[in-house]
Amino acid sequence: MENAVEKTVESTYINKKNLLKFIFGSAFGVLMFLVPIPYETSFTTLLDFVKMWLQALFGGSLIYIVVTLLVVSAVLSTYDFFAKPDFIRKNRYLSKAFCTTPLYLVSKIIGAVAGVMVLTGMGPEIVVSADTGGTIIDLCGTLFCILIAFSFVLPFLTDCGIMEFLGVIARPVVRPLFHVPGRASVDLIASWFGAANAAVILTREQYMKGFYTKREAGYIMTNFSLVSVPFCLMVANTIGLDSIFPVFYLCICLIGIILAVIIVRIPPIRTIPDTYREVTGRQVAEDRPEEKGIWRFALESSCKRAGEFHLDTVLTSGLEVMMGTLFDLIPIVASWGVIALAIATYTPFFDWISYPMGLYLQLFGVEDAFAVAPATLVGFTDMFIPALLIAGTEVAVKTKFIIGVLSLVQIIYLTEVGTVVIKSEVPLGFWKLFAIFLERTLIAIPFIVLFANLIY
């Protein structure tokens, strides 16, 4: 009798309609996010092509769009903070975009002021410089295009069943190795071939919907969000190592795996509560019943999820994600990014605090240890600055290799990943992120030096 009931329940999930949703909806999501497409000398994704198409479409007007967005966000957030109008507070989209805390309100105002200064060219050099405000506003423009394309495609990847399918299949490997659900493999692939910030936003949305615990989401964001292959190639070109890019990238992948295995087992990641978001609770079920085969259970889980997917929800959920990220996340990236790059570019702060790193590098026999020491810490602000610091120097090639790989496995960059993590509901504040950044840096260096010694 029980077997008959079980088969009846399964049959309600595995049917033609759900199978078609799972196959074609997931195929579209995978094609956009995860399938590597040859592009010039590397690979990218269709989502990245859409981003580039949007950038070309907007052209020179993109900076005006971004600055307008920053100003609107600051003005309406200020109005909401003091007046608390119902038309914002009672609207699911507007409240997500403009209801904020005092810290983030100040951050939005700083972002708007910095944006206007960059647009008009009027303001102190420390803000309007191409190395600070100019870089960040360009980054916000890129993020704007990613989010427009990303928001309405994301449901096809997350809600049509492919994450449930891969979650069940990959769980026997991913769970014991990384202590995360199998579906986290999708986040990793998305960042490898797409963009790290897109993968972080994907993880945040999965956490908000109850598919990751606080610990799992924090861990995935800070360990799985590797920079994309195209960006790794750009760094290799910048420091003159493009001729050995396959070896360079292999080292990044191996060190990334080693770090992921270690970081999950030590504080502060280990101390984050392993509980789901209270509002949603647990919404994932990857534990396979003993009587069911892995493929059967994977298909059943996928069809069940696909059965809940409807095209009319793509617009509503996509709009909610877009409003929250465009008017809430981008202003924070603008303000914190400008401040971080200003400190890195115009002050000796990183020179002062990097002396212990020079001693640490020297301990492992790294040439020019004190000359490149600032590059080991300045990556906390932005992942490209370390490469720029050593690109035009007479530093040894092996040392450039070490710093180049290190800058790409540190992952936690305030201008992108770090800001998204802090702005999420995952309990990882600034100091915990900095602690994880230091852990990744200190643990990675000996392994990278070993790898470099094998090559040179």
Side-chain angles (χ1 to χ4, degrees):
M1 186 70 173
E2 288 182 5
N3 289 337
V5 172
E6 183 180 308
K7 288 181 180 178
T8 302
V9 173
E10 285 188 8
S11 67
T12 62
Y13 297 140
I14 305 177
N15 55 52
K16 184 178 179 180
K17 182 180 179 180
N18 289 349
L19 276 172
L20 289 175
K21 280 186 181 181
F22 166 51
I23 293 170
F24 290 105
S26 296
F28 177 69
V30 169
L31 182 63
M32 292 297 293
F33 273 90
L34 307 181
V35 176
I37 308 295
Y39 177 68
E40 294 181 349
T41 57
S42 184
F43 294 92
T44 188
T45 60
L46 283 178
L47 188 68
D48 201 49
F49 275 117
V50 174
K51 178 205 74 177
M52 290 187 285
W53 177 77
L54 287 171
Q55 286 178 308
L57 178 67
F58 292 126
S61 64
L62 189 56
I63 186 173
Y64 295 95
I65 294 172
V66 169
V67 173
T68 300
L69 182 152
L70 294 174
V71 172
V72 169
S73 179
V75 170
L76 287 182
S77 293
T78 302
Y79 177 64
D80 171 80
F81 187 80
F82 290 103
K84 299 177 176 56
D86 286 344
F87 81 91
I88 292 179
R89 292 292 170 111
K90 294 183 179 181
N91 184 289
R92 62 185 288 194
Y93 305 116
L94 296 180
S95 61
K96 197 173 183 68
F98 304 117
C99 293
T100 189
T101 63
L103 172 63
Y104 290 120
L105 175 62
V106 172
S107 298
K108 287 187 174 189
I109 294 171
I110 292 173
V113 171
V116 171
M117 285 183 176
V118 171
L119 179 63
T120 60
M122 298 173 62
E125 182 71 11
I126 194 172
V127 175
V128 302
S129 166
D131 295 326
T132 53
T135 296
I136 293 300
I137 297 303
D138 283 345
L139 173 62
C140 288
T142 301
L143 193 55
F144 173 81
C145 294
I146 288 176
L147 291 170
I148 290 179
F150 174 94
S151 298
F152 298 100
V153 178
L154 180 63
F156 291 94
L157 186 68
T158 60
D159 299 344
C160 287
I162 189 61
M163 295 195 78
E164 281 69 20
F165 188 84
L166 290 178
V168 174
I169 299 301
R171 188 180 189 279
V173 174
V174 174
R175 173 60 74 180
L177 196 60
F178 302 120
H179 296 184
V180 293
R183 65 195 298 117
S185 57
V186 177
D187 303 66
L188 180 60
I189 298 171
S191 65
W192 268 355
F193 296 116
N197 44 24
V200 174
I201 296 171
L202 167 63
T203 303
R204 185 188 70 170
E205 293 304 312
Q206 288 288 284
Y207 164 71
M208 299 285 281
K209 293 179 179 179
F211 292 100
Y212 292 136
T213 66
K214 295 178 175 68
R215 183 185 301 173
E216 289 167 351
Y219 169 64
I220 294 166
M221 286 175 166
T222 55
N223 289 272
F224 276 39
S225 303
L226 290 170
V227 294
S228 64
V229 177
F231 187 83
C232 291
L233 180 59
M234 184 169 72
V235 169
N237 279 321
T238 301
I239 60 179
L241 296 177
D242 49 304
S243 60
I244 60 165
F245 180 72
V247 177
F248 182 78
Y249 190 69
L250 175 63
C251 184
I252 292 169
C253 294
L254 291 176
I255 301 300
I257 292 171
I258 292 170
L259 289 172
V261 171
I262 295 173
I263 296 296
V264 73
R265 291 167 168 82
I266 61 177
I269 290 294
R270 195 183 66 182
T271 60
I272 298 174
D274 199 22
T275 56
Y276 290 87
R277 185 169 177 248
E278 289 74 11
V279 177
T280 54
R282 179 175 179 172
Q283 301 295 323
V284 63
E286 291 181 356
D287 299 323
R288 177 171 59 91
E290 293 182 4
E291 68 275 8
K292 293 184 181 180
I294 188 169
W295 294 102
R296 176 74 182 186
F297 183 62
L299 185 60
E300 179 188 340
S301 301
S302 304
C303 287
K304 180 181 178 182
R305 181 65 171 163
E308 301 167 358
F309 176 80
H310 303 283
L311 284 177
D312 58 351
T313 62
V314 172
L315 181 62
T316 56
S317 63
L319 188 60
E320 189 172 357
V321 171
M322 188 174 71
M323 288 292 288
T325 47
L326 289 185
F327 291 99
D328 196 36
L329 177 62
I330 288 181
I332 306 304
V333 171
S335 59
W336 293 12
V338 168
I339 292 170
L341 290 188
I343 292 172
T345 307
Y346 288 94
T347 74
F349 178 74
F350 284 97
D351 292 326
W352 294 341
I353 68 172
S354 65
Y355 184 79
M357 291 304 302
L359 295 174
Y360 189 65
L361 291 171
Q362 195 175 59
L363 178 67
F364 294 100
V366 177
E367 295 180 60
D368 308 303
F370 288 96
V372 300
T376 63
L377 296 180
V378 75
F380 186 60
T381 60
D382 185 79
M383 75 283 260
F384 197 51
I385 296 180
L388 293 177
L389 285 181
I390 64 173
T393 65
E394 298 298 322
V395 171
V397 175
K398 185 196 290 189
T399 302
K400 287 186 176 182
F401 179 93
I402 293 168
I403 298 300
V405 172
L406 178 66
S407 70
L408 295 170
V409 299
Q410 289 173 318
I411 288 184
I412 303 164
Y413 321 107
L414 280 184
T415 52
E416 292 196 34
V417 172
T419 305
V420 179
V421 176
I422 294 173
K423 199 68 185 70
S424 71
E425 292 185 18
V426 178
L428 273 177
F430 178 87
W431 293 111
K432 283 187 178 179
L433 278 184
F434 187 62
I436 296 170
F437 173 85
L438 286 179
E439 286 177 348
R440 295 186 67 84
T441 302
L442 296 173
I443 296 170
I445 286 174
F447 290 105
I448 300 173
V449 171
L450 177 62
F451 206 105
N453 289 337
L454 295 174
I455 299 170
Y456 295 98

